[in-house]
Amino acid sequence: MPQPLIADYPLRAHNTFGFDVRARFAMRLESEAQVAALANDGRIANLPQLVLGGGSNVVLTRDFDGVALLVGILGKRLIAQDDDAYFVEAGAGENWHDFVAWTLAVGMPGLENLALIPGTVGAAPIQNIGAYGLEMGERFERLRAIELATGEAHEFDREACAFGYRDSFFKRAGRGRFLITSVVFRLPKAWTPRADYADVARALENSGKHDAQAIFDAVVAVRRAKLPDWKVLGNAGSFFKNPVVGAEAFDALRAREPEVVSYRQPDGSAKLAAGWLIDRCGWKGRAIGGAAVHDRQALVLVNRGGATGAQVLELADAIRRDVFEHFGVQLEAEPVCL
């Protein structure tokens, strides 16, 4: 029995910016078999397809004249363990933050630094999400994905995913070709804390605790203090990647801007704090229509109400130009812009 095809479907609840756009059709997918069957579904054979999980990493600039594939594959379980690690599998439609909380509740820490990142488990490898000293790729084991054109299932290991900084195969060569159905994570039994970031360390010191749950709670508190809740003020989290510049370029920049916030890399390059660059250019709180730079965190673009995706992109382009003019540094957007 084919999945129902829903006509003229509103996508406002499926993108965290809250843009009021619609899809010509939508289909809910709750199993890998339903995803595989899409390749032989004549109703959508000639339609563009848009895969949506939580919609936390996408900017929808207009109505979508195709079929939105709404990923709702659930389930999470321990599938194996050895002397060194637990191997945990989760469906692509699982809420990421809830999944992280569950791993702690069942005694398998290792993802706590990635608490409160919006979106779904299936979206995490696409973006190679990261925060507070940890990238998802460090805990990744493998994933399953269906090739939409053929319905064939494929397994991707870490090498095949080609993880980079907020990047992966699925944002580049694999974009639009695959739908991720499940992800397996490797959580080390020999747990070691990641608590080097000042805000997290300060929160831990205040609590007097330093276990995985304390780090989870500290990360949640810090994120809530710094970042707007997308359910209240539409946003996609950090809009720009922190740019990386070579050692020579960084030394020249620091000579002009001694206060530049940066993080030296092992190869001598430096990762710059994009939020500092944007704030230095005076963008915090400025707006184009309903799209604005958050007044407390310059790295976050928000929908103050009634904004369009086109306005967000116009604002982002103006910020890029200004940062390049002032610092000679190119900013790159984290979300996928459609």
Side-chain angles (χ1 to χ4, degrees):
M1 182 90 177
Q3 285 296 96
L5 197 60
I6 310 166
D8 191 28
Y9 188 83
L11 296 177
R12 188 169 188 169
H14 297 276
N15 74 101
T16 58
F17 264 113
F19 296 137
D20 190 13
V21 296
R22 308 181 79 85
R24 182 178 174 188
F25 297 105
M27 187 182 293
R28 300 184 188 277
L29 301 168
E30 298 173 347
S31 71
E32 188 174 281
Q34 291 172 353
V35 179
L38 295 174
N40 297 314
D41 192 331
R43 298 172 300 168
I44 64 171
N46 298 312
L47 292 175
Q49 297 175 0
L50 171 63
V51 178
L52 282 175
S56 61
N57 193 46
V58 64
V59 180
L60 302 176
T61 60
R62 61 183 183 276
D63 291 344
F64 183 65
D65 189 25
V67 56
L69 304 177
L70 309 178
V71 182
I73 303 171
L74 302 179
K76 47 190 182 289
R77 63 195 178 108
L78 174 67
I79 58 171
Q81 61 179 300
D82 57 25
D83 291 342
D84 299 320
Y86 301 105
F87 296 87
V88 181
E89 181 181 57
E94 287 284 345
N95 176 276
W96 173 261
H97 175 71
D98 292 347
F99 169 65
V100 173
W102 173 81
T103 62
L104 292 181
V106 296
M108 296 182 291
L111 294 171
E112 55 280 346
N113 291 60
L114 305 182
L116 211 64
I117 294 178
T120 57
V121 167
I126 298 173
Q127 183 76 349
N128 187 20
I129 58 174
Y132 301 107
L134 179 70
E135 285 193 339
M136 185 233 60
E138 294 182 59
R139 301 285 187 252
F140 177 87
E141 179 67 16
R142 64 183 182 274
L143 64 76
R144 283 179 63 84
I146 301 296
E147 190 170 7
L148 292 171
T150 64
E152 294 181 2
H154 298 260
E155 284 209 350
F156 291 79
D157 60 14
R158 187 179 306 175
E159 182 179 358
C161 288
F163 292 129
Y165 171 53
R166 305 297 179 269
D167 197 18
S168 73
F169 164 81
F170 299 98
K171 284 186 76 173
R172 298 190 181 277
R175 181 175 170 180
R177 291 175 51 198
F178 295 90
L179 189 153
I180 296 170
T181 57
S182 63
V183 186
V184 176
F185 299 91
R186 182 186 186 277
L187 305 180
K189 290 184 176 180
W191 177 79
T192 54
R194 299 278 183 94
D196 295 334
Y197 274 71
D199 291 336
V200 174
R202 193 177 305 115
L204 291 173
E205 186 177 346
N206 291 338
S207 73
K209 300 177 181 178
H210 294 82
D211 59 6
Q213 185 63 53
I215 293 176
F216 176 94
D217 293 340
V219 168
V220 169
V222 170
R223 289 184 70 90
R224 283 180 173 158
K226 283 190 167 185
L227 302 173
D229 183 349
W230 65 267
K231 296 176 184 176
V232 178
L233 190 63
N235 69 90
S238 298
F239 195 89
F240 296 103
K241 298 179 182 181
N242 288 325
V244 177
V245 298
E248 186 176 340
F250 174 68
D251 289 340
L253 175 60
R254 189 170 56 176
R256 300 195 315 271
E257 298 281 350
E259 297 178 354
V260 62
V261 177
S262 60
Y263 311 92
R264 278 286 193 180
Q265 305 299 295
D267 63 358
S269 63
K271 183 182 290 185
L272 307 179
W276 185 90
L277 299 173
I278 297 166
D279 192 14
R280 189 78 166 186
C281 291
W283 278 98
K284 191 179 286 184
R286 291 172 62 182
I288 293 179
V293 181
H294 192 243
D295 55 11
R296 293 201 313 273
Q297 173 51 268
L299 199 53
V300 177
L301 307 189
V302 300
N303 176 4
R304 287 180 173 172
T308 65
Q311 287 174 335
V312 167
L313 294 190
E314 183 182 353
L315 178 62
D317 286 343
I319 291 169
R320 276 199 200 94
R321 290 193 299 270
D322 209 5
V323 167
F324 184 76
E325 182 179 324
H326 278 80
F327 302 108
V329 174
Q330 293 280 7
L331 292 182
E332 183 180 349
E334 282 196 23
V336 175
C337 303
L338 301 174

PDB file of all heavy atoms in Angstrom, residues 98-123:
ATOM      1  N   ASP A  98      16.676  14.628  22.227  1.00  0.00           N
ATOM      2  CA  ASP A  98      16.049  13.554  23.008  1.00  0.00           C
ATOM      3  C   ASP A  98      16.888  12.282  22.946  1.00  0.00           C
ATOM      4  O   ASP A  98      16.990  11.545  23.932  1.00  0.00           O
ATOM      5  CB  ASP A  98      14.637  13.278  22.494  1.00  0.00           C
ATOM      6  CG  ASP A  98      13.678  14.430  22.776  1.00  0.00           C
ATOM      7  OD1 ASP A  98      14.034  15.323  23.580  1.00  0.00           O
ATOM      8  OD2 ASP A  98      12.579  14.438  22.182  1.00  0.00           O
ATOM      9  N   PHE A  99      17.497  12.033  21.792  1.00  0.00           N
ATOM     10  CA  PHE A  99      18.360  10.859  21.656  1.00  0.00           C
ATOM     11  C   PHE A  99      19.586  10.978  22.557  1.00  0.00           C
ATOM     12  O   PHE A  99      19.968  10.023  23.248  1.00  0.00           O
ATOM     13  CB  PHE A  99      18.780  10.690  20.193  1.00  0.00           C
ATOM     14  CG  PHE A  99      19.866   9.673  19.970  1.00  0.00           C
ATOM     15  CD1 PHE A  99      19.637   8.329  20.235  1.00  0.00           C
ATOM     16  CD2 PHE A  99      21.112  10.064  19.512  1.00  0.00           C
ATOM     17  CE1 PHE A  99      20.651   7.379  20.043  1.00  0.00           C
ATOM     18  CE2 PHE A  99      22.119   9.130  19.304  1.00  0.00           C
ATOM     19  CZ  PHE A  99      21.882   7.788  19.582  1.00  0.00           C
ATOM     20  N   VAL A 100      20.212  12.149  22.570  1.00  0.00           N
ATOM     21  CA  VAL A 100      21.378  12.366  23.440  1.00  0.00           C
ATOM     22  C   VAL A 100      20.979  12.153  24.898  1.00  0.00           C
ATOM     23  O   VAL A 100      21.695  11.489  25.666  1.00  0.00           O
ATOM     24  CB  VAL A 100      21.967  13.774  23.232  1.00  0.00           C
ATOM     25  CG1 VAL A 100      23.070  14.051  24.253  1.00  0.00           C
ATOM     26  CG2 VAL A 100      22.517  13.917  21.816  1.00  0.00           C
ATOM     27  N   ALA A 101      19.838  12.696  25.304  1.00  0.00           N
ATOM     28  CA  ALA A 101      19.371  12.526  26.689  1.00  0.00           C
ATOM     29  C   ALA A 101      19.143  11.052  27.004  1.00  0.00           C
ATOM     30  O   ALA A 101      19.473  10.586  28.111  1.00  0.00           O
ATOM     31  CB  ALA A 101      18.089  13.328  26.907  1.00  0.00           C
ATOM     32  N   TRP A 102      18.624  10.303  26.055  1.00  0.00           N
ATOM     33  CA  TRP A 102      18.374   8.871  26.265  1.00  0.00           C
ATOM     34  C   TRP A 102      19.681   8.107  26.457  1.00  0.00           C
ATOM     35  O   TRP A 102      19.762   7.222  27.326  1.00  0.00           O
ATOM     36  CB  TRP A 102      17.602   8.306  25.070  1.00  0.00           C
ATOM     37  CG  TRP A 102      17.428   6.830  25.107  1.00  0.00           C
ATOM     38  CD1 TRP A 102      16.488   6.124  25.819  1.00  0.00           C
ATOM     39  CD2 TRP A 102      18.222   5.847  24.410  1.00  0.00           C
ATOM     40  NE1 TRP A 102      16.643   4.779  25.605  1.00  0.00           N
ATOM     41  CE2 TRP A 102      17.696   4.578  24.748  1.00  0.00           C
ATOM     42  CE3 TRP A 102      19.298   5.922  23.536  1.00  0.00           C
ATOM     43  CZ2 TRP A 102      18.233   3.392  24.234  1.00  0.00           C
ATOM     44  CZ3 TRP A 102      19.828   4.753  23.028  1.00  0.00           C
ATOM     45  CH2 TRP A 102      19.308   3.516  23.378  1.00  0.00           C
ATOM     46  N   THR A 103      20.721   8.427  25.683  1.00  0.00           N
ATOM     47  CA  THR A 103      21.993   7.703  25.843  1.00  0.00           C
ATOM     48  C   THR A 103      22.543   7.882  27.257  1.00  0.00           C
ATOM     49  O   THR A 103      23.113   6.950  27.830  1.00  0.00           O
ATOM     50  CB  THR A 103      23.047   8.174  24.816  1.00  0.00           C
ATOM     51  OG1 THR A 103      23.336   9.564  25.005  1.00  0.00           O
ATOM     52  CG2 THR A 103      22.581   7.919  23.395  1.00  0.00           C
ATOM     53  N   LEU A 104      22.363   9.051  27.841  1.00  0.00           N
ATOM     54  CA  LEU A 104      22.810   9.270  29.210  1.00  0.00           C
ATOM     55  C   LEU A 104      21.933   8.508  30.201  1.00  0.00           C
ATOM     56  O   LEU A 104      22.431   7.921  31.165  1.00  0.00           O
ATOM     57  CB  LEU A 104      22.789  10.763  29.546  1.00  0.00           C
ATOM     58  CG  LEU A 104      23.800  11.642  28.812  1.00  0.00           C
ATOM     59  CD1 LEU A 104      23.673  13.078  29.272  1.00  0.00           C
ATOM     60  CD2 LEU A 104      25.218  11.153  29.043  1.00  0.00           C
ATOM     61  N   ALA A 105      20.632   8.515  29.954  1.00  0.00           N
ATOM     62  CA  ALA A 105      19.701   7.850  30.864  1.00  0.00           C
ATOM     63  C   ALA A 105      19.959   6.354  30.955  1.00  0.00           C
ATOM     64  O   ALA A 105      19.737   5.747  32.015  1.00  0.00           O
ATOM     65  CB  ALA A 105      18.264   8.113  30.417  1.00  0.00           C
ATOM     66  N   VAL A 106      20.451   5.746  29.863  1.00  0.00           N
ATOM     67  CA  VAL A 106      20.717   4.307  29.871  1.00  0.00           C
ATOM     68  C   VAL A 106      22.191   4.001  30.147  1.00  0.00           C
ATOM     69  O   VAL A 106      22.633   2.859  29.997  1.00  0.00           O
ATOM     70  CB  VAL A 106      20.271   3.647  28.544  1.00  0.00           C
ATOM     71  CG1 VAL A 106      18.760   3.774  28.373  1.00  0.00           C
ATOM     72  CG2 VAL A 106      21.009   4.244  27.336  1.00  0.00           C
ATOM     73  N   GLY A 107      22.965   5.025  30.553  1.00  0.00           N
ATOM     74  CA  GLY A 107      24.335   4.798  30.988  1.00  0.00           C
ATOM     75  C   GLY A 107      25.366   4.681  29.894  1.00  0.00           C
ATOM     76  O   GLY A 107      26.377   3.989  30.062  1.00  0.00           O
ATOM     77  N   MET A 108      25.147   5.380  28.757  1.00  0.00           N
ATOM     78  CA  MET A 108      26.105   5.330  27.648  1.00  0.00           C
ATOM     79  C   MET A 108      26.475   6.744  27.223  1.00  0.00           C
ATOM     80  O   MET A 108      25.995   7.252  26.212  1.00  0.00           O
ATOM     81  CB  MET A 108      25.517   4.537  26.475  1.00  0.00           C
ATOM     82  CG  MET A 108      25.271   3.067  26.802  1.00  0.00           C
ATOM     83  SD  MET A 108      24.630   2.090  25.408  1.00  0.00           S
ATOM     84  CE  MET A 108      22.986   2.774  25.237  1.00  0.00           C
ATOM     85  N   PRO A 109      27.307   7.429  28.004  1.00  0.00           N
ATOM     86  CA  PRO A 109      27.671   8.813  27.691  1.00  0.00           C
ATOM     87  C   PRO A 109      28.614   8.914  26.503  1.00  0.00           C
ATOM     88  O   PRO A 109      29.126   7.911  26.013  1.00  0.00           O
ATOM     89  CB  PRO A 109      28.343   9.290  28.982  1.00  0.00           C
ATOM     90  CG  PRO A 109      28.940   8.046  29.559  1.00  0.00           C
ATOM     91  CD  PRO A 109      27.961   6.938  29.233  1.00  0.00           C
ATOM     92  N   GLY A 110      28.841  10.155  26.082  1.00  0.00           N
ATOM     93  CA  GLY A 110      29.760  10.404  24.982  1.00  0.00           C
ATOM     94  C   GLY A 110      29.267  11.448  24.002  1.00  0.00           C
ATOM     95  O   GLY A 110      30.044  12.000  23.228  1.00  0.00           O
ATOM     96  N   LEU A 111      27.959  11.742  24.042  1.00  0.00           N
ATOM     97  CA  LEU A 111      27.383  12.730  23.126  1.00  0.00           C
ATOM     98  C   LEU A 111      26.915  13.987  23.849  1.00  0.00           C
ATOM     99  O   LEU A 111      26.339  14.879  23.227  1.00  0.00           O
ATOM    100  CB  LEU A 111      26.193  12.119  22.370  1.00  0.00           C
ATOM    101  CG  LEU A 111      26.499  10.977  21.404  1.00  0.00           C
ATOM    102  CD1 LEU A 111      25.207  10.341  20.902  1.00  0.00           C
ATOM    103  CD2 LEU A 111      27.341  11.466  20.232  1.00  0.00           C
ATOM    104  N   GLU A 112      27.172  14.068  25.171  1.00  0.00           N
ATOM    105  CA  GLU A 112      26.582  15.125  26.000  1.00  0.00           C
ATOM    106  C   GLU A 112      26.950  16.538  25.561  1.00  0.00           C
ATOM    107  O   GLU A 112      26.164  17.476  25.733  1.00  0.00           O
ATOM    108  CB  GLU A 112      26.952  14.922  27.473  1.00  0.00           C
ATOM    109  CG  GLU A 112      28.429  14.827  27.776  1.00  0.00           C
ATOM    110  CD  GLU A 112      29.015  13.451  27.484  1.00  0.00           C
ATOM    111  OE1 GLU A 112      28.251  12.480  27.287  1.00  0.00           O
ATOM    112  OE2 GLU A 112      30.264  13.355  27.456  1.00  0.00           O
ATOM    113  N   ASN A 113      28.117  16.729  24.937  1.00  0.00           N
ATOM    114  CA  ASN A 113      28.497  18.066  24.469  1.00  0.00           C
ATOM    115  C   ASN A 113      27.622  18.546  23.325  1.00  0.00           C
ATOM    116  O   ASN A 113      27.601  19.738  23.018  1.00  0.00           O
ATOM    117  CB  ASN A 113      29.955  18.077  24.023  1.00  0.00           C
ATOM    118  CG  ASN A 113      30.922  17.905  25.169  1.00  0.00           C
ATOM    119  OD1 ASN A 113      30.883  16.899  25.873  1.00  0.00           O
ATOM    120  ND2 ASN A 113      31.788  18.882  25.378  1.00  0.00           N
ATOM    121  N   LEU A 114      26.886  17.639  22.703  1.00  0.00           N
ATOM    122  CA  LEU A 114      26.045  17.983  21.556  1.00  0.00           C
ATOM    123  C   LEU A 114      24.588  18.125  21.950  1.00  0.00           C
ATOM    124  O   LEU A 114      23.691  18.092  21.093  1.00  0.00           O
ATOM    125  CB  LEU A 114      26.196  16.916  20.466  1.00  0.00           C
ATOM    126  CG  LEU A 114      27.632  16.637  20.009  1.00  0.00           C
ATOM    127  CD1 LEU A 114      27.647  15.598  18.896  1.00  0.00           C
ATOM    128  CD2 LEU A 114      28.331  17.913  19.557  1.00  0.00           C
ATOM    129  N   ALA A 115      24.318  18.320  23.236  1.00  0.00           N
ATOM    130  CA  ALA A 115      22.950  18.497  23.718  1.00  0.00           C
ATOM    131  C   ALA A 115      22.329  19.773  23.152  1.00  0.00           C
ATOM    132  O   ALA A 115      23.018  20.748  22.867  1.00  0.00           O
ATOM    133  CB  ALA A 115      22.940  18.557  25.246  1.00  0.00           C
ATOM    134  N   LEU A 116      21.023  19.732  22.990  1.00  0.00           N
ATOM    135  CA  LEU A 116      20.175  20.862  22.597  1.00  0.00           C
ATOM    136  C   LEU A 116      20.438  21.388  21.187  1.00  0.00           C
ATOM    137  O   LEU A 116      19.967  22.455  20.824  1.00  0.00           O
ATOM    138  CB  LEU A 116      20.275  22.009  23.618  1.00  0.00           C
ATOM    139  CG  LEU A 116      19.004  22.867  23.773  1.00  0.00           C
ATOM    140  CD1 LEU A 116      17.858  22.035  24.312  1.00  0.00           C
ATOM    141  CD2 LEU A 116      19.244  24.070  24.656  1.00  0.00           C
ATOM    142  N   ILE A 117      21.190  20.650  20.385  1.00  0.00           N
ATOM    143  CA  ILE A 117      21.303  21.022  18.976  1.00  0.00           C
ATOM    144  C   ILE A 117      19.997  20.619  18.296  1.00  0.00           C
ATOM    145  O   ILE A 117      19.571  19.470  18.395  1.00  0.00           O
ATOM    146  CB  ILE A 117      22.499  20.326  18.305  1.00  0.00           C
ATOM    147  CG1 ILE A 117      23.805  20.832  18.913  1.00  0.00           C
ATOM    148  CG2 ILE A 117      22.492  20.559  16.800  1.00  0.00           C
ATOM    149  CD1 ILE A 117      25.052  20.178  18.362  1.00  0.00           C
ATOM    150  N   PRO A 118      19.318  21.559  17.632  1.00  0.00           N
ATOM    151  CA  PRO A 118      18.025  21.221  17.024  1.00  0.00           C
ATOM    152  C   PRO A 118      18.189  20.288  15.836  1.00  0.00           C
ATOM    153  O   PRO A 118      19.266  20.195  15.233  1.00  0.00           O
ATOM    154  CB  PRO A 118      17.475  22.584  16.589  1.00  0.00           C
ATOM    155  CG  PRO A 118      18.689  23.429  16.393  1.00  0.00           C
ATOM    156  CD  PRO A 118      19.691  22.955  17.411  1.00  0.00           C
ATOM    157  N   GLY A 119      17.111  19.574  15.510  1.00  0.00           N
ATOM    158  CA  GLY A 119      17.126  18.708  14.347  1.00  0.00           C
ATOM    159  C   GLY A 119      16.980  17.247  14.711  1.00  0.00           C
ATOM    160  O   GLY A 119      16.686  16.894  15.860  1.00  0.00           O
ATOM    161  N   THR A 120      17.187  16.398  13.732  1.00  0.00           N
ATOM    162  CA  THR A 120      16.986  14.969  13.878  1.00  0.00           C
ATOM    163  C   THR A 120      18.304  14.207  13.765  1.00  0.00           C
ATOM    164  O   THR A 120      19.321  14.752  13.315  1.00  0.00           O
ATOM    165  CB  THR A 120      16.025  14.451  12.797  1.00  0.00           C
ATOM    166  OG1 THR A 120      16.562  14.779  11.508  1.00  0.00           O
ATOM    167  CG2 THR A 120      14.631  15.065  12.947  1.00  0.00           C
ATOM    168  N   VAL A 121      18.262  12.940  14.151  1.00  0.00           N
ATOM    169  CA  VAL A 121      19.447  12.081  14.063  1.00  0.00           C
ATOM    170  C   VAL A 121      19.917  11.965  12.612  1.00  0.00           C
ATOM    171  O   VAL A 121      21.119  11.991  12.330  1.00  0.00           O
ATOM    172  CB  VAL A 121      19.139  10.691  14.656  1.00  0.00           C
ATOM    173  CG1 VAL A 121      20.227   9.688  14.292  1.00  0.00           C
ATOM    174  CG2 VAL A 121      18.987  10.790  16.177  1.00  0.00           C
ATOM    175  N   GLY A 122      19.000  11.858  11.676  1.00  0.00           N
ATOM    176  CA  GLY A 122      19.383  11.702  10.271  1.00  0.00           C
ATOM    177  C   GLY A 122      20.081  12.918   9.691  1.00  0.00           C
ATOM    178  O   GLY A 122      20.868  12.803   8.751  1.00  0.00           O
ATOM    179  N   ALA A 123      19.807  14.084  10.258  1.00  0.00           N
ATOM    180  CA  ALA A 123      20.444  15.305   9.764  1.00  0.00           C
ATOM    181  C   ALA A 123      21.843  15.492  10.339  1.00  0.00           C
ATOM    182  O   ALA A 123      22.665  16.206   9.751  1.00  0.00           O
ATOM    183  CB  ALA A 123      19.588  16.524  10.110  1.00  0.00           C
TER     184      ALA A 123
END
